[in-house]
Amino acid sequence: MELDYQAIGIRIRRLRKAKSLTQQTLAEISGQEPSNISHIERGATKLSLPTLVNIANALGVTVDELLCDSLPA
């Protein structure tokens, strides 16, 4: 099964906006480059597990919340 990176990116964008964070702020908190956050949110790049965990921590959510429909239960 292939991960749906576009769906993951959409969830990250939705959660970021719900917390009133800019891509720049999320990038700073999660240790990423702002351009990388943009690529992730558009599903234009695959993200590594450490990156996924850092973004989840920065957003205050679990990795499960970001992957919820990408993997079977």
Side-chain angles (χ1 to χ4, degrees), residues 31-44:
Q32 304 300 309
E33 291 295 321
S35 61
N36 194 33
I37 297 296
S38 175
H39 289 123
I40 290 168
E41 288 185 354
R42 288 185 287 118

Side-chain angles (χ1 to χ4, degrees), residues 23-34 36-37 50-51 54-55 58:
Q23 288 181 342
Q24 175 73 36
T25 304
L26 178 57
E28 290 170 5
I29 296 169
S30 63
Q32 304 300 309
E33 291 295 321
N36 194 33
I37 297 296
T51 298
N54 288 339
I55 290 172

Side-chain angles (χ1 to χ4, degrees), residues 56-72:
N57 287 336
L59 292 170
V61 299
T62 65
V63 173
D64 288 351
E65 289 178 73
L66 299 179
L67 297 176
C68 65
D69 67 351
S70 294
L71 299 172

Side-chain angles (χ1 to χ4, degrees), residues 1-14 39-48 52 63-72:
M1 175 179 208
E2 187 72 24
L3 289 177
D4 186 346
Y5 291 100
Q6 189 169 14
I8 294 168
I10 289 168
R11 277 191 291 282
I12 290 170
R13 179 182 297 124
R14 188 183 67 240
H39 289 123
I40 290 168
E41 288 185 354
R42 288 185 287 118
T45 188
K46 294 181 178 182
L47 61 160
S48 68
L52 185 65
V63 173
D64 288 351
E65 289 178 73
L66 299 179
L67 297 176
C68 65
D69 67 351
S70 294
L71 299 172

